[in-house]
Amino acid sequence: MSTLIGALRAERIKFTTLPSQWAAPLTALVLTVGITAAVNAAYGAKDHTPGEDPAGGIYYGLLFGHVAVACFGVLLIGQEFNTRMIGGSLTAVPRRSRLYSAKLVLGAGLGLLLGLASTAGSFLAVDAVGGVDLSTPGLSRSFLAGVLYHPMMVLICLGLTTMLGNFSAALGLLTPMVFLGTTWLAAIPGVREVGQFLPDRAGLHAMRTQPEPGVHYGHWTGLLIMALWTALASYGGLRAMRRYEASGS
């Protein structure tokens, strides 16, 4: 595979032929849209938003679905570390940066598609129950943040998994942290001041249409914070992959 296109084609084939890889984003889509639809249907048309912020009802399912999004990011490279197939991948694509870049491009592209499907599906689910007022201030920005949250979460988890170089460690650390860890941190006085700058908290804040008590930055800044985490994790993964080349292991 002498070009990035060739490496990307190989990664696409892996994705389409390994059930564990395509099952994760599919699960994320089903959880996000399905739970959002179920919760809003339970609340009914008269009170279809479980919370003061209208975006709370739209993104309720994402609180569960983003765990599967994180798993997808881990699986993109973690499985190869776990099965030692990373050696075969490096044989096919000797340039480590090219292999890693192909995984980044695939993860970002699939994450973006997943974000569009999940966010649009959630909006439609809420609209079917009680309607969505598209004139609500900040709602278009919220939609954009909801779409971009998915590829950024995928790339963060991909980068951190590459840095750890271990599938079990990445899965055991990242998925509980995304599902429960930062929520617990946000509930601890004092620690909340730091926890609000973690990527998932910043990304979720960017989806809100109203200010969140105790958060000291705006919605667009929240999206920027998550983007910075994405850049740092992606670069850290690249450095780790290059060190892997140097170690020859």
Side-chain angles (χ1 to χ4, degrees):
M1 299 293 177
S2 57
T3 65
L4 178 60
I5 298 299
L8 183 58
R9 186 180 299 115
E11 292 302 317
R12 178 187 59 80
I13 292 172
K14 291 178 191 176
F15 172 76
T16 56
T17 56
L18 293 174
S20 58
Q21 289 208 6
W22 55 259
L26 180 60
T27 300
L29 177 61
V30 171
L31 284 175
T32 301
V33 179
I35 292 177
T36 295
V39 169
N40 279 274
Y43 272 78
K46 293 184 179 180
D47 184 18
H48 64 278
T49 300
E52 297 179 358
D53 195 313
I58 296 172
Y59 294 109
Y60 192 86
L62 182 60
L63 299 176
F64 302 87
H66 68 173
V67 180
V69 177
C71 289
F72 175 50
V74 172
L75 286 167
L76 278 174
I77 195 169
Q79 270 190 324
E80 293 179 62
F81 285 124
N82 189 48
T83 60
R84 304 301 177 92
M85 289 301 294
I86 188 70
S89 297
L90 293 175
T91 300
V93 187
R95 290 187 60 179
R96 273 59 171 172
S97 59
R98 182 171 292 160
L99 173 65
Y100 182 69
S101 296
K103 291 183 179 294
L104 286 178
V105 172
L106 181 71
L110 292 173
L112 186 60
L113 290 175
L114 175 61
L116 282 168
S118 295
T119 305
S122 296
F123 267 72
L124 290 173
V126 175
D127 187 58
V129 174
V132 174
D133 185 1
L134 297 178
S135 65
T136 300
L139 197 61
S140 58
R141 183 256 310 145
S142 175
F143 184 91
L144 176 64
V147 172
L148 295 180
Y149 180 91
H150 292 74
M152 288 195 288
M153 177 61 72
V154 170
L155 296 187
I156 288 171
C157 292
L158 171 60
L160 291 177
T161 302
T162 307
M163 283 188 275
L164 290 170
N166 186 289
F167 171 76
S168 299
L171 201 62
L173 173 66
L174 293 175
T175 51
M177 192 66 182
V178 169
F179 189 46
L180 294 174
T182 56
T183 303
W184 287 346
L185 289 175
I188 302 175
V191 180
R192 176 186 174 90
E193 300 300 313
V194 177
Q196 65 181 292
F197 293 98
L198 291 174
D200 63 317
R201 302 308 304 174
L204 291 172
H205 177 67
M207 298 177 210
R208 294 176 60 89
T209 60
Q210 298 177 9
E212 183 178 0
V215 176
H216 305 306
Y217 53 80
H219 301 297
W220 283 112
T221 304
L223 196 61
L224 176 60
I225 289 172
M226 191 173 187
L228 290 174
W229 275 103
T230 303
L232 287 172
S234 299
Y235 179 69
L238 177 61
R239 292 291 301 270
M241 184 65 79
R242 286 173 174 170
R243 287 197 301 271
Y244 188 89
E245 177 183 20
S247 68
S249 59

